[in-house]
């Protein structure tokens, strides 16, 4: 189930999100945007190589691993630079709605869906905990690539990260009570 949730999240975030955000209601524009995303092409290449049982040379794999390990630190550095550039100001109302949806709405929706699907126990608890995690830095990456309100995304990432600490603690307590 965790792999299915992860893959669905990746597909929605990195294919569905850009398709919707860039389309302006135009289906052709959606396909064009998604077709230009390197992630789509590299995912297809990786999937094809895996299906064909192709082993990449060790040097290539080491390079890929180094790039993979550098991804999150580089994104966090970019986020920090954006925070430093913009300074602190009172976040707009939409940020607070995004924070509420992420830290309250997402766990509630997860609870309702797991109940409807008959998922209980540890699996439900893990899914609930996962749904309480802060807004990912991926949102920052997509906004910088596709355009959008960078300040809103930065504020949402920072605030959900700070508030996720008590939210996750509360979720652990609630999971123990419900189980």
């Amino acid at each position: 189930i965790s792999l299915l949730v992860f893959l669905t999240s990746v597909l929605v975030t990195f294919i569905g999100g850009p398709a919707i955000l860039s389309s302006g209601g135009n289906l052709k524009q959606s396909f064009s945007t998604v077709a230009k995303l390197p992630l789509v092409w590299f995912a297809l290449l990786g999937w094809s190589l895996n299906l064909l049982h192709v082993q990449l040379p060790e040097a290539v794999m080491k390079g890929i691993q180094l790039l993979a390990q550098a991804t999150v630190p580089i994104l966090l550095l970019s986020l920090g630079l954006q925070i430093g550039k913009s300074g602190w100001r009172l976040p707009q109302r939409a940020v607070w709605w995004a924070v509420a949806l992420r830290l309250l709405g997402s766990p509630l929706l997860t609870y309702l869906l797991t109940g409807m699907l008959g998922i209980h126990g540890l699996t439900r608890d893990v899914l609930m905990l996962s749904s309480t995690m802060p807004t990912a830095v991926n949102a920052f990456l997509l906004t910088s690539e596709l355009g959008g309100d960078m300040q809103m995304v930065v504020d949402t990432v920072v605030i959900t990260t700070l508030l996720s600490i008590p939210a996750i603690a509360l979720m652990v307590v609630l999971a123990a009570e419900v189980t």
Side-chain angles (χ1 to χ4, degrees):
I1 289 183
S2 295
L3 181 60
L4 182 62
V5 170
F6 174 74
L7 290 175
T8 302
S9 172
V10 168
L11 288 174
V12 169
T13 301
F14 288 102
I15 294 177
I20 293 167
L21 292 174
S22 68
S23 71
N26 183 334
L27 192 60
K28 184 178 177 183
Q29 179 64 34
S30 293
F31 284 121
S32 174
T33 299
V34 170
K36 292 177 188 172
L37 295 173
L39 174 75
V40 172
W41 294 106
F42 282 105
L44 288 172
L45 176 63
W47 183 63
S48 299
L49 291 173
N50 190 28
L51 281 176
L52 297 172
H53 303 289
V54 174
Q55 291 290 325
L56 294 176
E58 190 174 330
V60 173
M61 287 305 298
K62 283 200 182 270
I64 291 171
Q65 289 170 345
L66 283 172
L67 286 172
Q69 291 171 347
T71 301
V72 172
I74 290 171
L75 281 174
L76 290 173
L77 179 63
S78 299
L79 179 63
L81 289 171
Q82 183 65 34
I83 293 168
K85 177 180 156 186
S86 61
W88 174 252
R89 62 177 177 72
L90 190 61
Q92 53 187 302
R93 180 177 291 173
V95 170
W96 295 109
W97 277 108
V99 169
L101 284 172
R102 181 65 198 150
L103 298 179
L104 299 173
S106 184
L108 178 62
L109 181 62
T110 302
Y111 181 77
L112 293 173
L113 287 174
T114 54
M116 287 177 7
L117 296 171
I119 299 170
H120 302 285
L122 183 61
T123 303
R124 184 207 56 226
D125 295 347
V126 169
L127 290 171
M128 294 283 298
L129 192 60
S130 297
S131 72
T132 311
M133 295 297 165
T135 301
V137 180
N138 295 337
F140 171 75
L141 172 68
L142 288 172
T143 303
S144 65
E145 284 294 315
L146 300 171
D149 189 342
M150 185 67 78
Q151 187 62 48
M152 180 182 170
V153 172
V154 168
D155 289 346
T156 304
V157 169
V158 170
I159 293 170
T160 57
T161 300
L162 293 173
L163 293 180
S164 69
I165 297 166
I168 290 169
L170 177 64
M171 193 57 57
V172 168
V173 169
L174 290 174
E177 291 293 322
V178 174
T179 302

